[in-house]
Amino acid sequence: MAKIFVTRLIPEAGINALKEKGYEVVVSAHDRVLTKEELTAALRGQNYDAVLCLLTDKIDGEVFDGAGKQVKIFANYAVGFDNIDLKAAEERGMMITNTPGVLTNTVAEHTFALMLAIAHRIAEADRFTRAGKYEGWAPMLLLGNDVSGKTIGVVGLGRIGSRVAHHAVKGFGAKVIYHDIKRNEDFEKEFKAVYKEKLEDLLKEADFISIHVPLLDATRHLINAERLKLMKSSAYLINTSRGPIVDEVALVEALKNKTIRGAAIDVFENEPRLASGLAGLENVILTPHIASATEETRSAMAELAAQNIIAALEGKAPPNLVKKK
Ligand code: GLV
Ligand code: GLV
């Protein structure tokens, strides 16, 4: 009977799919992130056939070697896989998979939730109201900005970036400009979107900038102090991708100095820690890496991760195999 290790409790749809195959499923006894030592210790000598891991697990050569040769696949419960050393996986013939597609709508929704919330000052207004500061309707109270009709700059036109662009154009009559390493002329036609080969040109023009690139060496601190200065002082930055893509210390400075008007971010450079000063600012909305966190989507991600494991153990190509670029 195949044996699967799951590094932390996930929705039961995934666990059940594995159990229905007759596999033995061992879920980590701790409902928290395992240290590398704990993870290696949990895997060593257990002859697991597959591991279902999370974006908070740092998976490298040492973990693969500790897990032993019986393990065929590490199935990541996330679309991003920057937590996994793909080179080390390739060297050992280890299969790595992710969970794309099933979270696209949810992350695009969360992106809009953040965009609307920062533009309409929702979190700030909620704090204001709860604090008993509301003394009656006033013409100048908590004025925000519209999203409708604005220019939305999408950085990274993958599945999620494209979905955000769709909502911006179809839902809010916004104009979309986008930057990606690849131009997509079909997308441009469908959404009257304009390609910006240079990120700088997008930053100068957009009213809302939304980040949807994966974390790679080339995208680390893609948004730095210099680039924040290129943004309009009326512009907002939204990040639902990975924290290290934005220089968080530079972002705090830009928000303090009103270099930009606001930011709404779901991911942080050193999770779960926040850059000093970030939490004290009014012109920022912070959510704790929950852009894919709906019951529907987390179940779908669990099932997809399980399907990847099942395919690998049945000798088929897993649907979401990832490779080093
Ligand atoms: C979440 O951040 C994911 O990559 O799925
Ligand atoms: C992630 O699924 C993306 O392609 O944006």
Side-chain angles (χ1 to χ4, degrees):
M1 189 187 2
K3 258 175 83 181
I4 323 289
F5 186 69
V6 180
T7 64
R8 190 165 181 177
L9 189 63
I10 58 163
E12 61 182 4
I15 307 288
N16 291 344
L18 295 169
K19 285 188 177 160
E20 277 162 24
K21 281 281 161 186
Y23 302 157
E24 183 187 341
V25 181
V26 179
V27 179
S28 165
H30 309 281
D31 185 21
R32 59 170 172 76
V33 178
L34 299 179
T35 64
K36 195 163 134 182
E37 290 69 31
E38 287 172 327
L39 176 59
T40 314
L43 296 175
R44 191 178 294 118
Q46 298 299 315
N47 287 321
Y48 284 112
D49 297 280
V51 178
L52 195 157
C53 58
L54 313 180
L55 63 91
T56 42
D57 299 320
K58 296 275 166 273
I59 309 290
D60 59 13
E62 275 181 76
V63 175
F64 294 138
D65 292 339
K69 291 213 187 310
Q70 176 89 4
V71 182
K72 292 183 187 58
I73 176 172
F74 275 69
N76 213 35
Y77 175 75
V79 67
F81 44 84
D82 48 276
N83 57 308
I84 301 180
D85 183 342
L86 290 185
K87 185 164 170 281
E90 232 166 70
E91 285 165 2
R92 289 160 180 82
M94 183 70 72
M95 288 186 262
I96 305 296
T97 58
N98 67 341
T99 60
V102 291
L103 45 61
T104 303
N105 274 327
T106 304
V107 177
E109 279 189 24
H110 194 81
T111 302
F112 265 92
L114 289 176
M115 203 184 293
L116 292 165
I118 189 66
H120 289 261
R121 301 174 66 171
I122 300 292
E124 187 187 350
D126 180 82
R127 288 191 290 274
F128 174 92
T129 309
R130 286 170 197 269
K133 293 182 184 164
Y134 181 44
E135 292 176 350
W137 186 88
M140 304 299 278
L141 180 61
L142 286 164
L143 302 189
N145 292 113
D146 293 321
V147 172
S148 298
K150 292 292 164 60
T151 298
I152 315 289
V154 174
V155 179
L157 196 73
R159 297 177 199 83
I160 298 168
S162 307
R163 199 71 190 143
V164 166
H166 166 278
H167 295 351
V169 171
K170 305 282 184 197
F172 293 89
K175 175 183 170 195
V176 167
I177 58 179
Y178 76 102
H179 170 78
D180 195 284
I181 45 175
K182 281 198 307 252
R183 191 171 166 182
N184 182 336
E185 293 183 27
D186 291 338
F187 168 80
E188 287 169 29
K189 277 200 203 96
E190 190 175 353
F191 295 105
K192 293 196 175 64
V194 176
Y195 181 56
K196 299 288 171 184
E197 191 176 350
K198 285 219 208 90
L199 175 61
E200 284 73 13
D201 293 337
L202 177 146
L203 296 175
K204 285 179 199 161
E205 259 182 61
D207 299 305
F208 293 86
I209 290 153
S210 193
I211 313 287
H212 302 287
V213 291
L215 177 60
L216 305 164
D217 287 340
T219 59
R220 194 172 290 276
H221 283 197
L222 185 69
I223 305 297
N224 56 18
E226 205 179 303
R227 288 192 168 134
L228 285 162
K229 287 199 186 93
L230 296 177
M231 288 173 60
K232 297 186 196 176
S233 59
S234 57
Y236 297 92
L237 180 72
I238 317 295
N239 188 12
T240 52
S241 59
R242 282 291 181 268
I245 291 164
V246 176
D247 178 341
E248 202 170 301
V249 171
L251 177 64
V252 171
E253 279 311 298
L255 291 168
K256 262 191 200 153
N257 302 333
K258 308 277 157 54
T259 307
I260 65 173
R261 183 158 300 167
I265 59 180
D266 183 55
V267 286
F268 304 91
E269 202 168 340
N270 298 296
E271 293 181 16
R273 278 181 291 127
L274 308 183
S276 164
L278 187 62
L281 297 169
E282 283 288 7
N283 56 343
V284 68
I285 289 181
L286 311 171
T287 56
H289 206 149
I290 54 164
S292 71
T294 62
E295 292 173 2
E296 297 89 336
T297 287
R298 287 289 166 84
S299 277
M301 287 166 64
E303 258 185 272
L304 191 53
Q307 291 313 324
N308 279 306
I309 289 176
I310 292 166
L313 298 190
E314 291 182 344
K316 300 176 198 141
N320 308 114
L321 211 49
V322 298
K323 287 238 152 37
K324 191 162 171 60
K325 286 233 171 82

